[in-house]
Amino acid sequence: MRLLKSIGRALRFPRGHRGRFFGYLALGMAPLLAVALAMNVHFLESRLRDSAEIFHSVSTQASSQIGSLYDMASVVATNARVHTNLQNEVLPTYGGENDYPVLNRNFLKIQELINAYTLFGDFMEIRFYLPSSLVVSNGASLLDMDALESEPWYAEYSQLRDIRRWYLADRVQGSGAEDVLCAVRPVQDPMNYSSVIGYLRVDVAIERIEEIVRLSSVLDDTSCFLIDRDQGVIWHTGSVEAAAFQQAPCVQEARAAAYHEYERIGGRDYLVSVHPLSSSNMSLVYLVPKMSLAQDALMNGTLQFVLLLLEIVLFAAIAALFSSSLLSSRNSQLRLLNAQINPHFLYNTLDVINWQAINQNLPDIYRPIQALSRFYKITLNHGEEFIRVADEVEQVRLYLELQNLRFKNSVAYQIEVEPDIRDCYILHMVLQPIVENALVHGIREKDSQTGRIDISIREAHGQLLFTIRDDGVGMDEAAVAQLLRGSSSMGYGLSNIQQRIRLYYGRRFGMTVASRPGEGTAVCVRMPCVRGEPERREL
């Protein structure tokens, strides 16, 4: 305030000199304004380049995941086509007069083949189209060849059968939902490979693709297209219409190498980030409005321009504000950089290793990787603090399977859950730390390093009772007390569980521990029985 008053007093000069003063002021400011304008233009161009590079890097990881999904579907299709059940049991009966026992046996053999890939059931399914003279249709995984004529994707596949790509299809025949991407392979007559008996279809849920795209689309109004580089759009999401996108240079030129540049589509400028999917004729294309990238840069550039004008009068006062505006201008870049370390991209690495192991027919590698991927998915739980009892139990089961792979089946276990409480909701990550404690500090400290863990979950008087028993080394009462206080080296996890339960549910709920040296330990946890998904709470 004193500074403003002193400046005001300094500007009180005779009227005849005011025009000359402001003339000199304008003449002196002109070079500064020109420099400021040039700097802001350069600043904006630099920011746009940096943001484009960062977004292209983020979307590269997403395209790698989707490419891995296609490769995995292709490997599954190839392995299923040469499966013993199909080649040696079912196809040799083609062309004969098959009675019902033969048709039923063929049905069971193919169903057994399909069941071999149930580990992918949460995002991938297999179905066959075969003649009625070979197998009986079940309307879901086994379909009659006649059903192909009513499938919209089949006409497209008939024209492009030699091109490695996905086709958009319905998960449920005739539903019109178009909710899966499918890889299609012919099933050939083993006696005449030029004759096609039927078709094998491997479906990947659109939800899985959408999740990958959503996690990588950290800027507003991002659109994404999956394209055949020769034929056009296969699937897309976002506000840009497919018809307008078809006219874009990135579609017309159909380059097979990754690139990013600004293009005009439908009268609007976009950052186009193109990523060819390896081992296929497809590319993943992201469209980000240029204004979404430039918005923060324009705002901060304008602010800097105004501040430069005021700097002549209030230089010292606005120095701190100018610095803070530069700091705030980094927000968009930080959001983009944070997306590069999103934990869901861990699935990318696991998927790549997994399909390579499947391709090499190494079940000792791909089965634990699939279990580990499922374990991390449940552990992350989409960031939610509550989880279904069934999912918490599945997490414990996967953990014990992984430990048995590590320690050569040293732990026998049994899990009993009352059926009507499997959909109840509980606090996330309660059981697994208790089971881990029983394994590491109980069973693994025995001379034999083998043992048993029994888990039971039941309802009593509106409460859920979780009991975890082990036949490990056990402990005395003093050690139990230290365990619950978190004062021992193995008690931090259990003490944390006790505190979390009481913070959320109150002190009448929680955990008790009973143990005797040489006889093992029993941990009992009480939580309310909540049948509907609870609301998030702020603590």
Side-chain angles (χ1 to χ4, degrees), residues 100-162:
Y100 180 77
V102 174
L103 296 177
N104 188 56
R105 187 208 60 156
N106 289 349
F107 172 87
L108 295 175
K109 289 293 181 181
I110 295 181
Q111 196 62 53
E112 181 182 341
L113 182 161
I114 293 173
N115 291 340
Y117 296 94
T118 54
L119 286 170
F120 302 107
D122 60 339
F123 66 91
M124 187 180 293
E125 296 176 345
I126 303 174
R127 64 186 67 198
F128 284 87
Y129 293 84
L130 295 171
S132 57
S133 61
L134 194 62
V135 67
V136 177
S137 170
N138 66 358
S141 56
L142 291 172
L143 297 163
D144 196 293
M145 277 283 288
D146 294 339
L148 277 174
E149 299 302 325
S150 63
E151 294 278 17
W153 60 266
Y154 180 67
E156 188 176 12
Y157 169 76
S158 298
Q159 298 176 354
L160 309 173
R161 63 179 67 238
D162 294 329

Side-chain angles (χ1 to χ4, degrees), residues 302-316:
T302 302
L303 178 60
Q304 291 170 44
F305 189 78
V306 172
L307 289 176
L308 184 61
L309 296 178
L310 297 176
E311 196 174 52
I312 299 173
V313 179
L314 303 171
F315 179 83

Side-chain angles (χ1 to χ4, degrees), residues 293-354:
L293 292 167
Q295 184 175 5
D296 285 349
L298 286 171
M299 184 180 299
N300 284 279
T302 302
L303 178 60
Q304 291 170 44
F305 189 78
V306 172
L307 289 176
L308 184 61
L309 296 178
L310 297 176
E311 196 174 52
I312 299 173
V313 179
L314 303 171
F315 179 83
I318 67 170
L321 179 61
F322 183 72
S323 298
S324 66
S325 72
L326 289 178
L327 180 62
S328 66
S329 70
R330 312 299 293 182
N331 286 342
S332 291
Q333 285 181 294
L334 288 175
R335 288 172 58 203
L336 289 166
L337 289 170
N338 286 337
Q340 294 186 73
I341 58 172
N342 192 304
H344 287 80
F345 284 116
L346 172 64
Y347 301 145
N348 181 30
T349 303
L350 293 176
D351 281 345
V352 171
I353 300 173
N354 180 56

